[in-house]
Amino acid sequence: METKSGTLEITILSAEDLRIDNRPVKKNAFVVVSIDAFNSKTTKIDREGGSYPSWNDKLVMEMPVQTRFITLQVKYCKGSSSGGEKVVGVARIPVTDFVGGYSPETCLQHLSYRLRDPKGLKNGIINVCLRLKESLHDCSSQAAAAAGSIGLGIPIDGRRDFGVVTGIPICSGYPSNALFR
Amino acid sequence: MGNCCSDVGGGMTAVGGTAPSTSATNQNAAADWYFKSRGIQGLFSQIELSFSATSLRDRDVFSKSDPMVVVYIQERDGAFTEVFRTEVVLNSLNPTWITKYTITYQFEIVQILLFRVFDVDTQFHNVAVKMLKLEEQQYLGEASCALSEIVSKRNRSLTLDLVQREESVPSTHSQHRGKLTVHAEESFSSKTTAEMTLKCLNLESKDLFSKSDPFLVISKVVESGISIPVCKTEVLKNDLNPTWKPVFLNIEQIGSKDSPLVIECFDFNSNGKHELIGKVQKSLADLEKLHSAREGDNLFLPTPVGHDNKSKVSKSKFFVEKYSETVQYTFLDYLAGGFELNFMVAVDFTASNGNPRLPDSLHYIDPSGRLNAYQKAIYEVGEVLQFYDSDKRFPAWGFGARPIDGPVSHCFNLNGSSNFCEVEGIRGIMMAYTSALFNVSLAGPTLFGHVINRAAMLASQSLANDAKKYFVLLIITDGVVTDLQETKDALVKASDLPLSILIVGVGGADFKEMEILDADKGERLESSTGRVASRDIVQFVPFRDVQNGRTSVVQSLLAELPTQFLTYMRSRDIKPNS
């Protein structure tokens, strides 16, 4: 099967309320957008924004049709050089949120997601806007159908909605109610 | 001067000017204060109405009529009060009047205007228009309309037939009394915002042991010579070559691009007594020139020496790093560009409302004609919104009831049809509501998710067809939602669509939980999948909270609507004219 891909234009707008070690991030936050392990891009560093950084950085990436998630990692670097990066929070955008949803995928969509830190705790919100340059509609619904049927083989509830559920990692050593701040 | 910015923390931040273009609408700050002090809340624009007429009746014997228009506004009690008179145009049956009437257009109330045309008798031609007694003039005809009717037309002109006043004896003459055309224009220049980045070089150091902490205050000079501060920048610590963050100035707030502005540079002192380092006097046009020429100008220090107010030229220089003007379109611009609001209604038919046949039910249809809470909400909101909906066909749904044959439905068509959901006009909604009441059995639970998803589907289809439509869903409910998370999920999914959801809570329930849905009162909504709402699309108002106050449900519900509409359009850079 040929691997078709579309062009994704994603603009990382801003983030809100970022914390590290329970204190607000002071500066130097940036975002790494990855589609898979080999396909990722980084935004500029916001040196002043602190815990409410804004980038307004547009990144253009190739997105293969079978992509299920786009991962956003908000990181910050301590010094002025890029040594010593730490992950502040991660969010995963299910492709079904912007393909086959309410808005046509070529239409500019504004999306926001909850960030979770490496321990799984809530850590701010990230705001992006994105669009696909060409409609993936036929390819994507085929891919989704293929993926869905490989997964279970039974349509659940007869619904057309191939929504994905984002799992929250459970980390040992923390009482489970700490995850739901 | 300088005592207007005295507190340390707050005093160091930038104040005034206009908000940057991505946030809420432009407002004339002075007019805003004026109106707020009179209790007029909500969004508004200044509109100028101009008048012209054709085919007026000829009442004079030897010459043509000398017509004048008198404008009346309908007050809350239904009576009309006079508000304006145009000038008298001599000898014309097809006059165009020059004097324009300025009125504040308020989106959330229906402003009914009455226009009466009089022929001014010759003996009064030298009397000031204000002094004319209308009973002594000859009545030519009248017409009335709502302000929103004029404003929602593409060319902002409405032509009305002039008719006879009802009280007069019906005339045996022909009914042709001519036509009156009313044209609306938004007060100009309310939309242009200038964004500037200012900087200075070589400032004098005013502090003993450190450098100055400079900030700028920009003031406009009014006719009497007094300067009124318009905005100030943030304070930059210890900097003799400061570059401040961009300031935004609304051109109407200042007057015009050529209005003189005084820009003063102060050294911040925590005791509030800021020292003046220097100042310049420039208009926006001058600042633009400074920017394009990439030149600086020297700051002046006024040194009052005796009577000679000589200014000492300081060695500090003032530069305009960036200058740009953006046009911020207003709600009315979009209407003129062909955008429409589509009104949709969803009514709660859960059993908690009570048996509709009993007088204590929220759904009781009073034979005396008094409207119940549901009818009032539909009527008042619909009345305002219908002007902006060109086809007057409104989707109407009910939820939480069992239609005649079938299980409980959380989204059934109010008109009883299984294929289409639209009804015609507000009357259509009222009729469908009354007939549905007796054709369904109230059940439960209270769930909004289905109705929100249905509305979102309509909005999404319109988006796919590139239509210039913005959807408004009115949900009237008596109770708290049973599955709050389901509602949040539906709202988050719909938050990126051209859709606003107005929720009215009727009856005596405690609506505390519902207030979470309105992001003004809390945080952004989060769905169960980790997605957060892109914007706040909900406005929630409990009906009883507002019944005592001077504002109506409608005003509180609709006050945010133009802002939500504009936020949506601006964030996508959608301009009124395609």
Side-chain angles (χ1 to χ4, degrees):
Chain A
M1 193 172 79
E2 44 180 275
T3 42
K4 287 204 186 144
S5 70
T7 318
L8 173 73
E9 289 179 353
I10 176 166
T11 306
I12 311 293
L13 297 169
S14 60
E16 296 171 25
D17 203 17
L18 301 176
R19 293 169 165 269
I20 193 99
D21 294 334
N22 256 323
R23 271 169 307 176
V25 167
K26 292 219 183 84
K27 54 182 179 162
N28 291 348
F30 63 98
V31 182
V32 177
V33 181
S34 358
I35 295 185
D36 60 44
F38 307 107
N39 188 359
S40 70
K41 281 202 173 172
T42 312
T43 63
K44 305 189 280 258
I45 300 183
D46 181 356
R47 302 199 181 276
E48 298 156 349
S51 55
Y52 284 76
S54 65
W55 300 280
N56 291 310
D57 207 349
K58 180 162 159 184
L59 305 168
V60 180
M61 303 170 74
E62 287 291 308
M63 192 183 86
V65 138
Q66 320 92 296
T67 313
R68 305 292 297 281
F69 287 99
I70 297 182
T71 310
L72 303 174
Q73 289 183 304
V74 179
K75 296 182 174 181
Y76 89 114
C77 49
K78 290 190 186 164
S80 48
S81 61
S82 58
E85 303 176 348
K86 261 190 148 185
V87 174
V88 176
V90 178
R92 300 216 295 171
I93 307 180
V95 166
T96 48
D97 269 5
F98 57 93
V99 171
Y102 283 137
S103 304
E105 52 252 17
T106 45
C107 192
L108 187 67
Q109 301 183 47
H110 282 66
L111 302 170
S112 301
Y113 290 87
R114 165 66 63 196
L115 291 164
R116 286 189 182 264
D117 68 13
K119 296 185 185 120
L121 302 172
K122 291 187 180 185
N123 194 5
I125 293 177
I126 184 164
N127 304 310
V128 304
C129 67
L130 47 73
R131 59 183 280 252
L132 286 174
K133 278 207 94 172
E134 320 76 31
S135 172
L136 277 185
H137 187 69
D138 314 286
C139 326
S140 76
S141 56
Q142 268 180 31
S149 56
I150 291 171
L152 260 187
I154 313 164
I156 301 194
D157 202 0
R159 287 196 306 178
R160 222 204 94 225
D161 181 40
F162 296 110
V164 271
V165 174
T166 308
I168 301 167
I170 309 247
C171 177
S172 65
Y174 278 85
S176 54
N177 56 15
L179 290 177
F180 303 102
R181 250 203 271 141
Chain B
M1 242 237 80
N3 289 331
C4 62
C5 10
S6 43
D7 60 299
V8 179
M12 296 188 60
T13 50
V15 163
T18 334
S21 54
T22 47
S23 62
T25 36
N26 264 349
Q27 274 174 311
N28 182 332
D32 189 16
W33 175 84
Y34 166 80
F35 284 108
K36 277 207 158 71
S37 68
R38 294 187 168 217
I40 301 180
Q41 308 288 333
L43 273 164
F44 56 86
S45 293
Q46 293 284 79
I47 300 277
E48 278 182 350
L49 294 178
S50 37
F51 306 93
S52 60
T54 52
S55 315
L56 289 179
R57 292 189 66 189
D58 199 342
R59 297 304 295 255
D60 290 345
V61 179
F62 295 112
S63 63
K64 307 204 188 95
S65 295
D66 308 305
M68 170 183 83
V69 180
V70 181
V71 183
Y72 301 76
I73 281 200
Q74 187 174 48
E75 303 289 341
R76 272 180 167 258
D77 55 4
F80 284 96
T81 39
E82 182 189 320
V83 286
F84 175 77
R85 295 181 183 186
T86 60
E87 79 277 23
V88 180
V89 173
L90 294 175
N91 219 9
S92 170
L93 297 179
N94 298 295
T96 303
W97 288 275
I98 299 177
T99 22
K100 304 196 202 307
Y101 173 47
T102 311
I103 181 175
T104 332
Y105 162 65
Q106 281 175 268
F107 174 75
E108 65 273 14
I109 57 180
V110 182
Q111 296 162 286
I112 305 281
L113 301 168
L114 172 67
F115 310 104
R116 285 199 176 135
V117 186
F118 289 92
D119 171 27
V120 176
D121 213 48
T122 335
Q123 51 172 312
F124 297 114
H125 280 175
N126 288 327
V127 178
V129 167
K130 275 197 289 261
M131 310 292 296
L132 292 171
K133 294 209 183 98
L134 296 177
E135 315 81 68
E136 295 172 8
Q137 314 308 327
Q138 303 207 304
Y139 170 80
L140 290 180
E142 68 184 39
S144 96
C145 71
L147 184 54
S148 31
E149 279 184 74
I150 308 175
V151 145
S152 52
K153 285 233 175 278
R154 281 222 195 184
N155 55 0
R156 306 238 189 115
S157 278
L158 186 64
T159 304
L160 302 158
D161 287 327
L162 289 167
V163 295
Q164 175 79 317
R165 202 180 348 222
E166 262 128 57
E167 313 111 67
S168 320
V169 175
S171 168
T172 48
H173 293 281
S174 74
Q175 290 307 307
H176 288 297
R177 292 175 171 273
K179 293 185 194 291
L180 176 71
T181 301
V182 187
H183 175 74
E185 250 184 65
E186 225 176 330
S187 295
F188 59 95
S189 268
S190 57
K191 315 166 236 169
T192 320
T193 307
E195 176 187 341
M196 301 184 284
T197 306
L198 303 169
K199 85 171 193 190
C200 284
L201 285 181
N202 267 336
L203 288 178
E204 247 185 83
S205 195
K206 291 280 179 185
D207 291 338
L208 263 181
F209 297 110
S210 63
K211 303 186 195 140
S212 295
D213 307 312
F215 66 97
L216 293 176
V217 176
I218 305 180
S219 315
K220 66 174 178 184
V221 182
V222 292
E223 275 135 24
S224 46
I226 309 174
S227 60
I228 301 177
V230 170
C231 81
K232 75 174 172 81
T233 61
E234 77 278 20
V235 177
L236 293 175
K237 293 221 111 182
N238 235 8
D239 196 344
L240 293 181
N241 297 301
T243 305
W244 291 275
K245 292 209 180 105
V247 292
F248 297 84
L249 290 176
N250 180 336
I251 297 191
E252 192 194 44
Q253 192 181 17
I254 301 175
S256 79
K257 240 177 129 171
D258 296 309
S259 303
L261 294 175
V262 173
I263 305 177
E264 293 161 300
C265 185
F266 289 93
D267 169 34
F268 181 84
N269 280 320
S270 39
N271 61 6
K273 297 201 170 50
H274 314 295
E275 268 192 82
L276 178 66
I277 303 177
K279 67 183 192 179
V280 287
Q281 178 153 329
K282 301 261 169 229
S283 68
L284 277 179
D286 295 333
L287 292 173
E288 194 179 21
K289 272 192 227 131
L290 261 189
H291 165 68
S292 51
R294 295 184 171 277
E295 279 171 1
D297 209 358
N298 287 0
L299 292 181
F300 288 88
L301 249 185
T303 42
V305 183
H307 294 292
D308 249 351
N309 269 348
K310 264 195 275 201
S311 291
K312 185 177 87 167
V313 177
S314 89
K315 56 179 165 62
S316 322
K317 281 198 148 218
F318 169 82
F319 291 86
V320 181
E321 278 271 285
K322 284 203 200 124
Y323 182 93
S324 67
E325 280 176 28
T326 46
V327 182
Q328 285 222 88
Y329 298 104
T330 63
F331 181 61
L332 294 180
D333 289 329
Y334 285 94
L335 291 181
F339 282 78
E340 300 180 11
L341 297 184
N342 272 48
F343 177 48
M344 308 181 282
V345 180
V347 179
D348 180 327
F349 281 95
T350 54
S352 46
N353 284 296
N355 184 345
R357 293 168 210 278
L358 300 178
D360 58 352
S361 162
L362 288 165
H363 276 307
Y364 180 60
I365 307 285
D366 192 336
S368 73
R370 199 176 72 95
L371 299 178
N372 65 29
Y374 285 91
Q375 288 168 315
K376 275 194 86 171
I378 296 172
Y379 183 74
E380 288 185 19
V381 175
E383 265 277 294
V384 175
L385 292 180
Q386 62 161 341
F387 287 119
Y388 305 97
D389 187 329
S390 65
D391 63 4
K392 315 263 187 270
R393 297 179 63 83
F394 311 124
W397 303 292
F399 59 93
R402 211 176 280 121
I404 317 175
D405 44 356
V408 177
S409 166
H410 296 288
C411 183
F412 59 91
N413 297 329
L414 212 59
N415 57 16
S417 149
S418 35
N419 305 324
F420 61 93
C421 54
E422 291 176 330
V423 295
E424 298 260 357
I426 304 296
R427 265 182 68 99
I429 307 181
M430 302 295 239
M431 285 181 357
Y433 163 70
T434 344
S435 71
L437 261 185
F438 302 114
N439 282 325
V440 301
S441 25
L442 309 194
T446 312
L447 295 175
F448 292 167
H450 298 236
V451 168
I452 295 176
N453 287 336
R454 209 41 213 290
M457 286 297 311
L458 287 183
S460 126
Q461 279 160 9
S462 138
L463 200 59
N465 297 332
D466 214 16
K468 293 174 165 185
K469 288 189 180 166
Y470 189 87
F471 293 78
V472 183
L473 169 65
L474 173 70
I475 302 182
I476 316 170
T477 178
D478 79 314
V480 174
V481 176
T482 309
D483 187 347
L484 202 58
Q485 190 59 53
E486 185 213 39
T487 311
K488 284 191 196 175
D489 285 356
L491 286 172
V492 167
K493 272 186 85 175
S495 61
D496 196 38
L497 289 169
L499 172 67
S500 281
I501 300 183
L502 314 177
I503 310 182
V504 179
V506 297
D510 177 9
F511 291 108
K512 259 279 168 292
E513 265 189 54
M514 302 283 273
E515 302 205 342
I516 301 178
L517 296 176
D518 184 344
D520 299 341
K521 296 167 177 124
E523 301 179 335
R524 285 165 80 170
L525 295 175
E526 199 168 323
S527 82
S528 41
T529 58
R531 187 174 155 194
V532 171
S534 322
R535 54 192 252 273
D536 170 25
I537 60 173
V538 177
Q539 179 68 352
F540 173 74
V541 177
F543 201 63
R544 66 155 181 275
D545 264 16
V546 156
Q547 266 170 320
N548 341 323
R550 271 173 301 137
T551 47
S552 64
V553 176
V554 184
Q555 285 184 290
S556 350
L557 271 180
L558 294 180
E560 266 193 33
L561 187 53
T563 315
Q564 288 181 354
F565 174 92
L566 286 171
T567 315
Y568 178 85
M569 296 297 161
R570 288 181 183 156
S571 64
R572 280 159 185 71
D573 211 18
I574 301 177
K575 297 196 171 28
N577 308 312
S578 49

